[in-house]
Amino acid sequence: MSNQSDFKYNVGMYGGSFNPLHMGHVNCIIRAANMCAELYIVLSSGSNRDEVDCLVRYRWLYVLTKHIGNVKIISISDDAPEKSAYTREYWQRDADIVKSQIGKKIDVVFCGGDYGQDSFWNVCYPESELYIFPRSEISSTEIRKNPYAHWDWLPNVVRPYYVKKVMIIGCESTGKSTLTINLANRFNTNYIEEAGRDISERSGTDRLMLSEDFTEILLTHKLNEIKATERSNMVLFEDTDALVTQFFMSFLNDPLIEKNRALSDAIDALNSYDLILFLEPDVKFVQDGDRSEIIRDNRRHYSDQIKQLLKSHGKSFIEVSGSYQQRFETSVKLVNALLGLGEEQ
């Protein structure tokens, strides 16, 4: 157990907007915590500025520092419309709030190398030593322009916030599962497989499914998405979703369809996709297990039903057709564009 004599300073403060939190901040926080018996991180947010939600940034800081016993987090907010409007009037007011919340002499104020000795830190905290960390190449401004081009700058706790979600959808035997896995491998990330594949075969065939099977499929897919997002590399690929399950509930005559439809709609309202790829039924139908011959014989009709279901729920999608290789190439280009990366990425 460390005591106060182990530290250079008694009370320290390190402030910023952390919009977003990046590896430069992480390094500074660790160094500052190692120099102070108590370190207060001050999270500044603007109620009138376009920033990552303050609660999200607080969570990042908390997860990053919860194992450090001498770190506390303080939140302050201002109504300046932009950073350039954050002038002396705000400086002094916020400094008074911070000093009041800390309630003791602040021995040192830490800041990044983008601030100088004449910055507002010295103006508002004249009684404190100013400790300036060397400037690094990492910049929140550059990250905000394109987080995917600076992915290595983002701590693991921050990355899930920026993960793009791409849903692959379509009727039976359009290559959804294969394309989903191929794209995940191409972008070195993970994917969510169709949750209903195994659940629908518990009675040997999907034509004998129970209502609770559909309920489990809906809940399982959503929980799988939440967990997979935490481990994804820039993008997460998903094979089908709640609305496709809703289509099959109707097609397979779920006896409790109204209850499961309500659940499906509720989950769909929570779902948010950055890109939806709809695979057209223009490749050969392959009988893989228990695929429906009724759908096989009228693929365009049922494909259009799924499209209409998507549209009725306000979902926009891009139709992808052609050979399997053409579908893959088209999808890669669309995902690169989504991430703001060149085709060579």
Side-chain angles (χ1 to χ4, degrees), residues 159-202:
R159 289 179 177 181
Y161 177 85
Y162 290 101
V163 167
K164 295 289 190 182
K165 295 175 185 175
V166 177
M167 201 248 285
I168 318 297
I169 201 167
C171 205
E172 281 191 334
S173 192
T174 52
K176 299 187 304 298
S177 298
T178 299
L179 179 60
T180 299
I181 298 172
N182 283 343
L183 288 171
N185 289 338
R186 167 63 177 76
F187 286 91
N188 193 28
T189 187
N190 59 359
Y191 64 93
I192 303 174
E193 62 185 359
E194 186 178 356
R197 181 175 293 273
D198 294 331
I199 296 173
S200 66
E201 296 175 355
R202 287 177 176 171

mmCIF file of all heavy atoms in Angstrom, residues 159-202:
data_model
loop_
_atom_site.group_PDB
_atom_site.id
_atom_site.type_symbol
_atom_site.label_atom_id
_atom_site.label_comp_id
_atom_site.label_asym_id
_atom_site.label_seq_id
_atom_site.Cartn_x
_atom_site.Cartn_y
_atom_site.Cartn_z
ATOM 1 N N ARG A 159 -13.127 1.673 -28.554
ATOM 2 C CA ARG A 159 -13.385 1.140 -29.893
ATOM 3 C C ARG A 159 -14.823 0.701 -30.150
ATOM 4 O O ARG A 159 -15.368 0.967 -31.227
ATOM 5 C CB ARG A 159 -12.417 -0.005 -30.183
ATOM 6 C CG ARG A 159 -10.987 0.465 -30.406
ATOM 7 C CD ARG A 159 -10.038 -0.687 -30.673
ATOM 8 N NE ARG A 159 -8.695 -0.198 -30.960
ATOM 9 C CZ ARG A 159 -7.674 -0.985 -31.242
ATOM 10 N NH1 ARG A 159 -7.845 -2.297 -31.265
ATOM 11 N NH2 ARG A 159 -6.489 -0.467 -31.495
ATOM 12 N N PRO A 160 -15.506 0.033 -29.187
ATOM 13 C CA PRO A 160 -16.893 -0.389 -29.474
ATOM 14 C C PRO A 160 -17.811 0.763 -29.871
ATOM 15 O O PRO A 160 -18.760 0.556 -30.638
ATOM 16 C CB PRO A 160 -17.333 -1.033 -28.155
ATOM 17 C CG PRO A 160 -16.067 -1.531 -27.541
ATOM 18 C CD PRO A 160 -15.038 -0.490 -27.892
ATOM 19 N N TYR A 161 -17.540 1.956 -29.371
ATOM 20 C CA TYR A 161 -18.387 3.103 -29.700
ATOM 21 C C TYR A 161 -18.358 3.389 -31.205
ATOM 22 O O TYR A 161 -19.364 3.852 -31.771
ATOM 23 C CB TYR A 161 -17.909 4.333 -28.924
ATOM 24 C CG TYR A 161 -18.671 5.599 -29.235
ATOM 25 C CD1 TYR A 161 -19.861 5.892 -28.581
ATOM 26 C CD2 TYR A 161 -18.199 6.508 -30.184
ATOM 27 C CE1 TYR A 161 -20.570 7.053 -28.874
ATOM 28 C CE2 TYR A 161 -18.904 7.673 -30.478
ATOM 29 C CZ TYR A 161 -20.085 7.937 -29.824
ATOM 30 O OH TYR A 161 -20.770 9.087 -30.113
ATOM 31 N N TYR A 162 -17.224 3.132 -31.836
ATOM 32 C CA TYR A 162 -17.051 3.474 -33.245
ATOM 33 C C TYR A 162 -17.265 2.302 -34.195
ATOM 34 O O TYR A 162 -17.191 2.479 -35.410
ATOM 35 C CB TYR A 162 -15.647 4.057 -33.464
ATOM 36 C CG TYR A 162 -15.480 5.436 -32.857
ATOM 37 C CD1 TYR A 162 -14.819 5.601 -31.645
ATOM 38 C CD2 TYR A 162 -15.991 6.563 -33.492
ATOM 39 C CE1 TYR A 162 -14.673 6.868 -31.077
ATOM 40 C CE2 TYR A 162 -15.856 7.818 -32.928
ATOM 41 C CZ TYR A 162 -15.190 7.967 -31.726
ATOM 42 O OH TYR A 162 -15.060 9.220 -31.166
ATOM 43 N N VAL A 163 -17.517 1.125 -33.670
ATOM 44 C CA VAL A 163 -17.696 -0.033 -34.537
ATOM 45 C C VAL A 163 -18.915 0.165 -35.443
ATOM 46 O O VAL A 163 -20.007 0.478 -34.981
ATOM 47 C CB VAL A 163 -17.863 -1.321 -33.701
ATOM 48 C CG1 VAL A 163 -18.353 -2.475 -34.570
ATOM 49 C CG2 VAL A 163 -16.534 -1.692 -33.042
ATOM 50 N N LYS A 164 -18.701 0.000 -36.740
ATOM 51 C CA LYS A 164 -19.797 0.071 -37.701
ATOM 52 C C LYS A 164 -20.470 -1.303 -37.798
ATOM 53 O O LYS A 164 -19.811 -2.334 -37.758
ATOM 54 C CB LYS A 164 -19.276 0.471 -39.083
ATOM 55 C CG LYS A 164 -18.692 1.872 -39.159
ATOM 56 C CD LYS A 164 -19.752 2.933 -39.046
ATOM 57 C CE LYS A 164 -19.190 4.325 -39.360
ATOM 58 N NZ LYS A 164 -20.222 5.379 -39.204
ATOM 59 N N LYS A 165 -21.784 -1.297 -37.947
ATOM 60 C CA LYS A 165 -22.535 -2.541 -38.038
ATOM 61 C C LYS A 165 -23.086 -2.714 -39.449
ATOM 62 O O LYS A 165 -23.809 -1.855 -39.953
ATOM 63 C CB LYS A 165 -23.677 -2.537 -37.018
ATOM 64 C CG LYS A 165 -23.190 -2.512 -35.574
ATOM 65 C CD LYS A 165 -24.346 -2.379 -34.597
ATOM 66 C CE LYS A 165 -23.825 -2.233 -33.170
ATOM 67 N NZ LYS A 165 -24.923 -1.975 -32.214
ATOM 68 N N VAL A 166 -22.713 -3.837 -40.053
ATOM 69 C CA VAL A 166 -23.155 -4.146 -41.416
ATOM 70 C C VAL A 166 -24.002 -5.405 -41.366
ATOM 71 O O VAL A 166 -23.548 -6.460 -40.905
ATOM 72 C CB VAL A 166 -21.953 -4.350 -42.359
ATOM 73 C CG1 VAL A 166 -22.443 -4.750 -43.761
ATOM 74 C CG2 VAL A 166 -21.111 -3.080 -42.429
ATOM 75 N N MET A 167 -25.227 -5.292 -41.833
ATOM 76 C CA MET A 167 -26.130 -6.429 -41.813
ATOM 77 C C MET A 167 -26.262 -7.019 -43.216
ATOM 78 O O MET A 167 -26.460 -6.289 -44.188
ATOM 79 C CB MET A 167 -27.506 -6.009 -41.287
ATOM 80 C CG MET A 167 -28.318 -7.188 -40.776
ATOM 81 S SD MET A 167 -29.724 -7.529 -41.796
ATOM 82 C CE MET A 167 -30.821 -6.196 -41.325
ATOM 83 N N ILE A 168 -26.133 -8.346 -43.303
ATOM 84 C CA ILE A 168 -26.308 -9.072 -44.559
ATOM 85 C C ILE A 168 -27.662 -9.756 -44.491
ATOM 86 O O ILE A 168 -27.931 -10.538 -43.574
ATOM 87 C CB ILE A 168 -25.201 -10.133 -44.761
ATOM 88 C CG1 ILE A 168 -23.820 -9.584 -44.360
ATOM 89 C CG2 ILE A 168 -25.208 -10.644 -46.193
ATOM 90 C CD1 ILE A 168 -23.336 -8.437 -45.181
ATOM 91 N N ILE A 169 -28.505 -9.464 -45.467
ATOM 92 C CA ILE A 169 -29.885 -9.949 -45.394
ATOM 93 C C ILE A 169 -30.327 -10.434 -46.768
ATOM 94 O O ILE A 169 -29.735 -10.085 -47.791
ATOM 95 C CB ILE A 169 -30.808 -8.817 -44.868
ATOM 96 C CG1 ILE A 169 -32.091 -9.374 -44.291
ATOM 97 C CG2 ILE A 169 -31.056 -7.765 -45.937
ATOM 98 C CD1 ILE A 169 -32.888 -8.350 -43.494
ATOM 99 N N GLY A 170 -31.378 -11.232 -46.773
ATOM 100 C CA GLY A 170 -31.899 -11.744 -48.028
ATOM 101 C C GLY A 170 -32.708 -12.998 -47.789
ATOM 102 O O GLY A 170 -32.850 -13.464 -46.654
ATOM 103 N N CYS A 171 -33.234 -13.555 -48.863
ATOM 104 C CA CYS A 171 -34.032 -14.765 -48.759
ATOM 105 C C CYS A 171 -33.111 -15.979 -48.611
ATOM 106 O O CYS A 171 -31.880 -15.847 -48.607
ATOM 107 C CB CYS A 171 -34.899 -14.901 -50.016
ATOM 108 S SG CYS A 171 -36.391 -15.874 -49.743
ATOM 109 N N GLU A 172 -33.684 -17.172 -48.482
ATOM 110 C CA GLU A 172 -32.882 -18.381 -48.320
ATOM 111 C C GLU A 172 -31.994 -18.635 -49.534
ATOM 112 O O GLU A 172 -32.366 -18.352 -50.673
ATOM 113 C CB GLU A 172 -33.789 -19.593 -48.096
ATOM 114 C CG GLU A 172 -34.318 -19.716 -46.681
ATOM 115 C CD GLU A 172 -34.988 -21.065 -46.451
ATOM 116 O OE1 GLU A 172 -35.472 -21.664 -47.426
ATOM 117 O OE2 GLU A 172 -35.034 -21.500 -45.290
ATOM 118 N N SER A 173 -30.806 -19.175 -49.267
ATOM 119 C CA SER A 173 -29.855 -19.616 -50.290
ATOM 120 C C SER A 173 -29.433 -18.491 -51.230
ATOM 121 O O SER A 173 -29.427 -18.639 -52.450
ATOM 122 C CB SER A 173 -30.442 -20.784 -51.105
ATOM 123 O OG SER A 173 -29.430 -21.365 -51.895
ATOM 124 N N THR A 174 -29.053 -17.356 -50.628
ATOM 125 C CA THR A 174 -28.492 -16.253 -51.418
ATOM 126 C C THR A 174 -27.030 -15.997 -51.029
ATOM 127 O O THR A 174 -26.445 -14.997 -51.450
ATOM 128 C CB THR A 174 -29.319 -14.965 -51.236
ATOM 129 O OG1 THR A 174 -29.472 -14.692 -49.842
ATOM 130 C CG2 THR A 174 -30.681 -15.099 -51.886
ATOM 131 N N GLY A 175 -26.474 -16.886 -50.225
ATOM 132 C CA GLY A 175 -25.058 -16.771 -49.867
ATOM 133 C C GLY A 175 -24.776 -15.877 -48.679
ATOM 134 O O GLY A 175 -23.642 -15.422 -48.504
ATOM 135 N N LYS A 176 -25.790 -15.628 -47.836
ATOM 136 C CA LYS A 176 -25.620 -14.709 -46.710
ATOM 137 C C LYS A 176 -24.532 -15.165 -45.745
ATOM 138 O O LYS A 176 -23.652 -14.398 -45.370
ATOM 139 C CB LYS A 176 -26.943 -14.545 -45.940
ATOM 140 C CG LYS A 176 -28.084 -13.972 -46.747
ATOM 141 C CD LYS A 176 -29.286 -13.694 -45.878
ATOM 142 C CE LYS A 176 -29.777 -14.910 -45.119
ATOM 143 N NZ LYS A 176 -30.218 -16.006 -46.009
ATOM 144 N N SER A 177 -24.634 -16.415 -45.310
ATOM 145 C CA SER A 177 -23.710 -16.901 -44.278
ATOM 146 C C SER A 177 -22.268 -16.905 -44.775
ATOM 147 O O SER A 177 -21.351 -16.480 -44.069
ATOM 148 C CB SER A 177 -24.119 -18.310 -43.835
ATOM 149 O OG SER A 177 -25.408 -18.302 -43.261
ATOM 150 N N THR A 178 -22.070 -17.372 -45.998
ATOM 151 C CA THR A 178 -20.719 -17.420 -46.556
ATOM 152 C C THR A 178 -20.154 -16.020 -46.741
ATOM 153 O O THR A 178 -18.990 -15.760 -46.398
ATOM 154 C CB THR A 178 -20.726 -18.169 -47.908
ATOM 155 O OG1 THR A 178 -21.182 -19.506 -47.696
ATOM 156 C CG2 THR A 178 -19.326 -18.208 -48.510
ATOM 157 N N LEU A 179 -20.961 -15.112 -47.274
ATOM 158 C CA LEU A 179 -20.489 -13.745 -47.491
ATOM 159 C C LEU A 179 -20.177 -13.068 -46.161
ATOM 160 O O LEU A 179 -19.179 -12.340 -46.042
ATOM 161 C CB LEU A 179 -21.534 -12.930 -48.262
ATOM 162 C CG LEU A 179 -21.162 -11.474 -48.540
ATOM 163 C CD1 LEU A 179 -19.878 -11.384 -49.365
ATOM 164 C CD2 LEU A 179 -22.304 -10.739 -49.241
ATOM 165 N N THR A 180 -21.011 -13.299 -45.149
ATOM 166 C CA THR A 180 -20.774 -12.698 -43.831
ATOM 167 C C THR A 180 -19.409 -13.105 -43.289
ATOM 168 O O THR A 180 -18.628 -12.267 -42.819
ATOM 169 C CB THR A 180 -21.869 -13.130 -42.841
ATOM 170 O OG1 THR A 180 -23.142 -12.672 -43.317
ATOM 171 C CG2 THR A 180 -21.626 -12.538 -41.463
ATOM 172 N N ILE A 181 -19.100 -14.391 -43.364
ATOM 173 C CA ILE A 181 -17.820 -14.884 -42.843
ATOM 174 C C ILE A 181 -16.663 -14.391 -43.708
ATOM 175 O O ILE A 181 -15.610 -13.985 -43.195
ATOM 176 C CB ILE A 181 -17.827 -16.418 -42.759
ATOM 177 C CG1 ILE A 181 -18.914 -16.880 -41.791
ATOM 178 C CG2 ILE A 181 -16.465 -16.946 -42.311
ATOM 179 C CD1 ILE A 181 -19.132 -18.382 -41.771
ATOM 180 N N ASN A 182 -16.846 -14.398 -45.024
ATOM 181 C CA ASN A 182 -15.778 -13.921 -45.922
ATOM 182 C C ASN A 182 -15.449 -12.456 -45.664
ATOM 183 O O ASN A 182 -14.277 -12.054 -45.654
ATOM 184 C CB ASN A 182 -16.183 -14.112 -47.377
ATOM 185 C CG ASN A 182 -16.058 -15.552 -47.847
ATOM 186 O OD1 ASN A 182 -15.383 -16.358 -47.203
ATOM 187 N ND2 ASN A 182 -16.711 -15.889 -48.948
ATOM 188 N N LEU A 183 -16.469 -11.647 -45.437
ATOM 189 C CA LEU A 183 -16.232 -10.230 -45.164
ATOM 190 C C LEU A 183 -15.539 -10.042 -43.819
ATOM 191 O O LEU A 183 -14.644 -9.202 -43.680
ATOM 192 C CB LEU A 183 -17.553 -9.458 -45.194
ATOM 193 C CG LEU A 183 -18.176 -9.258 -46.580
ATOM 194 C CD1 LEU A 183 -19.578 -8.667 -46.453
ATOM 195 C CD2 LEU A 183 -17.304 -8.365 -47.456
ATOM 196 N N ALA A 184 -15.961 -10.817 -42.821
ATOM 197 C CA ALA A 184 -15.306 -10.730 -41.509
ATOM 198 C C ALA A 184 -13.834 -11.100 -41.622
ATOM 199 O O ALA A 184 -12.964 -10.439 -41.031
ATOM 200 C CB ALA A 184 -16.016 -11.635 -40.512
ATOM 201 N N ASN A 185 -13.537 -12.137 -42.393
ATOM 202 C CA ASN A 185 -12.141 -12.525 -42.592
ATOM 203 C C ASN A 185 -11.382 -11.465 -43.384
ATOM 204 O O ASN A 185 -10.218 -11.162 -43.090
ATOM 205 C CB ASN A 185 -12.069 -13.870 -43.326
ATOM 206 C CG ASN A 185 -12.517 -15.028 -42.457
ATOM 207 O OD1 ASN A 185 -12.496 -14.942 -41.234
ATOM 208 N ND2 ASN A 185 -12.931 -16.122 -43.080
ATOM 209 N N ARG A 186 -12.040 -10.886 -44.380
ATOM 210 C CA ARG A 186 -11.394 -9.861 -45.213
ATOM 211 C C ARG A 186 -11.018 -8.633 -44.399
ATOM 212 O O ARG A 186 -9.959 -8.021 -44.601
ATOM 213 C CB ARG A 186 -12.340 -9.477 -46.351
ATOM 214 C CG ARG A 186 -11.980 -8.220 -47.148
ATOM 215 C CD ARG A 186 -10.660 -8.371 -47.878
ATOM 216 N NE ARG A 186 -10.391 -7.191 -48.670
ATOM 217 C CZ ARG A 186 -9.976 -6.026 -48.200
ATOM 218 N NH1 ARG A 186 -9.781 -5.867 -46.890
ATOM 219 N NH2 ARG A 186 -9.745 -5.005 -49.013
ATOM 220 N N PHE A 187 -11.872 -8.242 -43.446
ATOM 221 C CA PHE A 187 -11.621 -7.048 -42.647
ATOM 222 C C PHE A 187 -11.050 -7.391 -41.264
ATOM 223 O O PHE A 187 -11.001 -6.527 -40.392
ATOM 224 C CB PHE A 187 -12.903 -6.224 -42.517
ATOM 225 C CG PHE A 187 -13.265 -5.502 -43.790
ATOM 226 C CD1 PHE A 187 -14.096 -6.099 -44.729
ATOM 227 C CD2 PHE A 187 -12.746 -4.248 -44.059
ATOM 228 C CE1 PHE A 187 -14.420 -5.451 -45.915
ATOM 229 C CE2 PHE A 187 -13.057 -3.582 -45.238
ATOM 230 C CZ PHE A 187 -13.897 -4.187 -46.171
ATOM 231 N N ASN A 188 -10.641 -8.629 -41.091
ATOM 232 C CA ASN A 188 -9.972 -9.077 -39.870
ATOM 233 C C ASN A 188 -10.781 -8.720 -38.621
ATOM 234 O O ASN A 188 -10.276 -8.164 -37.648
ATOM 235 C CB ASN A 188 -8.562 -8.465 -39.772
ATOM 236 C CG ASN A 188 -7.713 -9.144 -38.712
ATOM 237 O OD1 ASN A 188 -7.905 -10.319 -38.410
ATOM 238 N ND2 ASN A 188 -6.771 -8.412 -38.139
ATOM 239 N N THR A 189 -12.050 -9.049 -38.668
ATOM 240 C CA THR A 189 -12.935 -8.762 -37.547
ATOM 241 C C THR A 189 -13.805 -9.979 -37.288
ATOM 242 O O THR A 189 -13.529 -11.072 -37.801
ATOM 243 C CB THR A 189 -13.773 -7.499 -37.832
ATOM 244 O OG1 THR A 189 -14.510 -7.137 -36.660
ATOM 245 C CG2 THR A 189 -14.730 -7.690 -38.997
ATOM 246 N N ASN A 190 -14.845 -9.823 -36.505
ATOM 247 C CA ASN A 190 -15.714 -10.957 -36.222
ATOM 248 C C ASN A 190 -17.097 -10.739 -36.813
ATOM 249 O O ASN A 190 -17.369 -9.726 -37.454
ATOM 250 C CB ASN A 190 -15.786 -11.248 -34.720
ATOM 251 C CG ASN A 190 -16.288 -10.067 -33.932
ATOM 252 O OD1 ASN A 190 -16.577 -9.012 -34.493
ATOM 253 N ND2 ASN A 190 -16.406 -10.221 -32.629
ATOM 254 N N TYR A 191 -17.958 -11.710 -36.579
ATOM 255 C CA TYR A 191 -19.294 -11.668 -37.181
ATOM 256 C C TYR A 191 -20.276 -12.354 -36.252
ATOM 257 O O TYR A 191 -19.899 -13.059 -35.312
ATOM 258 C CB TYR A 191 -19.283 -12.364 -38.546
ATOM 259 C CG TYR A 191 -18.966 -13.841 -38.464
ATOM 260 C CD1 TYR A 191 -19.978 -14.791 -38.379
ATOM 261 C CD2 TYR A 191 -17.646 -14.285 -38.455
ATOM 262 C CE1 TYR A 191 -19.692 -16.147 -38.282
ATOM 263 C CE2 TYR A 191 -17.341 -15.627 -38.369
ATOM 264 C CZ TYR A 191 -18.367 -16.557 -38.281
ATOM 265 O OH TYR A 191 -18.081 -17.889 -38.179
ATOM 266 N N ILE A 192 -21.556 -12.129 -36.536
ATOM 267 C CA ILE A 192 -22.618 -12.815 -35.804
ATOM 268 C C ILE A 192 -23.329 -13.736 -36.789
ATOM 269 O O ILE A 192 -23.864 -13.268 -37.805
ATOM 270 C CB ILE A 192 -23.631 -11.826 -35.218
ATOM 271 C CG1 ILE A 192 -22.945 -10.813 -34.308
ATOM 272 C CG2 ILE A 192 -24.714 -12.578 -34.449
ATOM 273 C CD1 ILE A 192 -23.873 -9.735 -33.827
ATOM 274 N N GLU A 193 -23.305 -15.021 -36.493
ATOM 275 C CA GLU A 193 -23.997 -15.948 -37.371
ATOM 276 C C GLU A 193 -25.492 -15.928 -37.086
ATOM 277 O O GLU A 193 -25.938 -15.414 -36.059
ATOM 278 C CB GLU A 193 -23.443 -17.355 -37.195
ATOM 279 C CG GLU A 193 -23.617 -17.932 -35.800
ATOM 280 C CD GLU A 193 -22.936 -19.274 -35.659
ATOM 281 O OE1 GLU A 193 -22.359 -19.747 -36.657
ATOM 282 O OE2 GLU A 193 -22.989 -19.847 -34.563
ATOM 283 N N GLU A 194 -26.248 -16.499 -37.984
ATOM 284 C CA GLU A 194 -27.702 -16.532 -37.845
ATOM 285 C C GLU A 194 -28.072 -17.336 -36.603
ATOM 286 O O GLU A 194 -27.801 -18.537 -36.522
ATOM 287 C CB GLU A 194 -28.313 -17.158 -39.097
ATOM 288 C CG GLU A 194 -29.818 -17.133 -39.136
ATOM 289 C CD GLU A 194 -30.360 -17.722 -40.423
ATOM 290 O OE1 GLU A 194 -29.553 -18.070 -41.306
ATOM 291 O OE2 GLU A 194 -31.591 -17.818 -40.535
ATOM 292 N N ALA A 195 -28.696 -16.685 -35.635
ATOM 293 C CA ALA A 195 -28.989 -17.340 -34.352
ATOM 294 C C ALA A 195 -29.996 -18.478 -34.507
ATOM 295 O O ALA A 195 -30.006 -19.421 -33.727
ATOM 296 C CB ALA A 195 -29.512 -16.308 -33.353
ATOM 297 N N GLY A 196 -30.836 -18.400 -35.527
ATOM 298 C CA GLY A 196 -31.898 -19.381 -35.660
ATOM 299 C C GLY A 196 -31.489 -20.692 -36.288
ATOM 300 O O GLY A 196 -32.274 -21.653 -36.293
ATOM 301 N N ARG A 197 -30.261 -20.775 -36.812
ATOM 302 C CA ARG A 197 -29.874 -21.986 -37.546
ATOM 303 C C ARG A 197 -29.988 -23.245 -36.674
ATOM 304 O O ARG A 197 -30.600 -24.234 -37.069
ATOM 305 C CB ARG A 197 -28.452 -21.839 -38.093
ATOM 306 C CG ARG A 197 -27.972 -23.040 -38.903
ATOM 307 C CD ARG A 197 -26.611 -22.767 -39.497
ATOM 308 N NE ARG A 197 -26.677 -21.719 -40.499
ATOM 309 C CZ ARG A 197 -26.960 -21.939 -41.780
ATOM 310 N NH1 ARG A 197 -27.231 -23.170 -42.194
ATOM 311 N NH2 ARG A 197 -26.990 -20.954 -42.638
ATOM 312 N N ASP A 198 -29.395 -23.213 -35.500
ATOM 313 C CA ASP A 198 -29.445 -24.387 -34.619
ATOM 314 C C ASP A 198 -30.769 -24.488 -33.861
ATOM 315 O O ASP A 198 -31.319 -25.581 -33.700
ATOM 316 C CB ASP A 198 -28.283 -24.349 -33.622
ATOM 317 C CG ASP A 198 -26.931 -24.499 -34.295
ATOM 318 O OD1 ASP A 198 -26.874 -25.161 -35.352
ATOM 319 O OD2 ASP A 198 -25.937 -23.948 -33.786
ATOM 320 N N ILE A 199 -31.272 -23.331 -33.417
ATOM 321 C CA ILE A 199 -32.510 -23.347 -32.628
ATOM 322 C C ILE A 199 -33.682 -23.885 -33.452
ATOM 323 O O ILE A 199 -34.542 -24.610 -32.944
ATOM 324 C CB ILE A 199 -32.820 -21.935 -32.096
ATOM 325 C CG1 ILE A 199 -31.712 -21.492 -31.135
ATOM 326 C CG2 ILE A 199 -34.178 -21.889 -31.403
ATOM 327 C CD1 ILE A 199 -31.834 -20.043 -30.673
ATOM 328 N N SER A 200 -33.713 -23.566 -34.745
ATOM 329 C CA SER A 200 -34.839 -23.972 -35.587
ATOM 330 C C SER A 200 -34.862 -25.468 -35.863
ATOM 331 O O SER A 200 -35.873 -26.005 -36.336
ATOM 332 C CB SER A 200 -34.787 -23.217 -36.923
ATOM 333 O OG SER A 200 -33.633 -23.604 -37.672
ATOM 334 N N GLU A 201 -33.773 -26.179 -35.557
ATOM 335 C CA GLU A 201 -33.696 -27.615 -35.845
ATOM 336 C C GLU A 201 -33.869 -28.473 -34.597
ATOM 337 O O GLU A 201 -33.595 -29.668 -34.609
ATOM 338 C CB GLU A 201 -32.353 -27.929 -36.518
ATOM 339 C CG GLU A 201 -32.205 -27.256 -37.877
ATOM 340 C CD GLU A 201 -30.830 -27.464 -38.502
ATOM 341 O OE1 GLU A 201 -29.962 -28.058 -37.819
ATOM 342 O OE2 GLU A 201 -30.635 -27.044 -39.660
ATOM 343 N N ARG A 202 -34.341 -27.893 -33.515
ATOM 344 C CA ARG A 202 -34.500 -28.661 -32.279
ATOM 345 C C ARG A 202 -35.565 -29.745 -32.394
ATOM 346 O O ARG A 202 -35.561 -30.709 -31.624
ATOM 347 C CB ARG A 202 -34.841 -27.711 -31.126
ATOM 348 C CG ARG A 202 -33.641 -26.878 -30.689
ATOM 349 C CD ARG A 202 -34.017 -25.906 -29.609
ATOM 350 N NE ARG A 202 -32.840 -25.178 -29.137
ATOM 351 C CZ ARG A 202 -32.886 -24.142 -28.312
ATOM 352 N NH1 ARG A 202 -34.066 -23.721 -27.859
ATOM 353 N NH2 ARG A 202 -31.787 -23.530 -27.926
#
